[in-house]
Amino acid sequence: MERFSLKTGISGLFQNNFANPETGVRPLIPTYVRFDGSWYGIGTYEIKEDVVVDGGIRYDFSTIEATKFYLKSRWDERGYQADFADIIVGEAASQWLTKPHFTFHNVSASLGVRKDFQSGWKWLNNLSLANRNPNPSEFFRMDYIIPPDKLSWVICV
């Protein structure tokens, strides 16, 4: 093994989800456009033949622009006006047309050490921080709006 090695990479995703109104069914997941981009780097350093340190870091960016109708009666019943009035862009009969836009920046990292013993045993130690960008289906559950700052609580429940 070389004393030091580094691997890097990038990842990208574009997604256009169209909830067809002609089906006559209220969509669970709304129409949205999503772009994700990521960069990562993983390094390995051999301190001695039997001691290796690994480290990695990853940056994720995500932007989601959705379009969703909400029944005005449910909007009022749930008190959304106070927190989400700024995402209303129009109305159609008994529904509000909303267009929320979410942007996320997350960093994940890991650092680990491996020690090999002559007896065949290995000692491994790792310290990690992991985050992920939410999926659009986690924002909209039928007629609920989950604010991004509350999303981590929803995922953990």
Side-chain angles (χ1 to χ4, degrees):
M1 173 175 168
E2 293 182 28
R3 225 163 141 75
F4 179 76
S5 67
L6 178 67
K7 296 177 185 175
T8 61
I10 59 172
S11 172
L13 166 80
F14 174 79
Q15 185 176 14
N16 186 2
N17 184 68
F18 177 68
N20 188 347
E22 293 180 15
T23 64
V25 176
R26 291 181 54 84
L28 175 63
I29 300 170
T31 295
Y32 65 87
V33 174
R34 172 183 177 180
F35 171 76
D36 292 348
S38 302
W39 172 89
Y40 72 90
I42 302 168
T44 301
Y45 180 68
E46 186 179 290
I47 296 174
K48 296 191 312 185
E49 189 175 307
D50 60 345
V51 179
V52 177
V53 176
D54 293 304
I57 191 163
R58 178 183 174 111
Y59 167 74
D60 293 294
F61 167 81
S62 184
T63 182
I64 300 164
E65 187 170 300
T67 303
K68 182 169 173 66
F69 282 97
Y70 287 91
L71 293 172
K72 290 180 180 178
S73 59
R74 289 198 182 147
W75 185 272
D76 294 339
E77 173 186 295
R78 294 191 171 107
Y80 287 160
Q81 192 64 24
D83 293 324
F84 303 110
D86 60 325
I87 66 171
I88 297 174
V89 295
E91 63 181 297
S94 63
Q95 298 183 81
W96 292 118
L97 174 61
T98 63
K99 198 163 196 162
H101 187 140
F102 303 103
T103 301
F104 299 94
H105 303 272
N106 287 311
V107 175
S108 299
S110 178
L111 180 64
V113 177
R114 185 187 81 221
K115 165 74 172 142
D116 298 328
F117 295 97
Q118 291 179 351
S119 62
W121 285 81
K122 293 182 181 186
W123 176 76
L124 299 140
N125 193 10
N126 183 273
L127 178 63
S128 297
L129 167 69
N131 292 294
R132 71 169 181 86
N133 295 327
N135 191 298
S137 65
E138 295 167 336
F139 289 122
F140 309 99
R141 296 193 323 202
M142 291 307 282
D143 284 332
Y144 290 98
I145 299 174
I146 303 170
D149 63 330
K150 303 291 187 239
L151 198 57
S152 62
W153 293 102
V154 173
I155 294 167
C156 295
V157 171

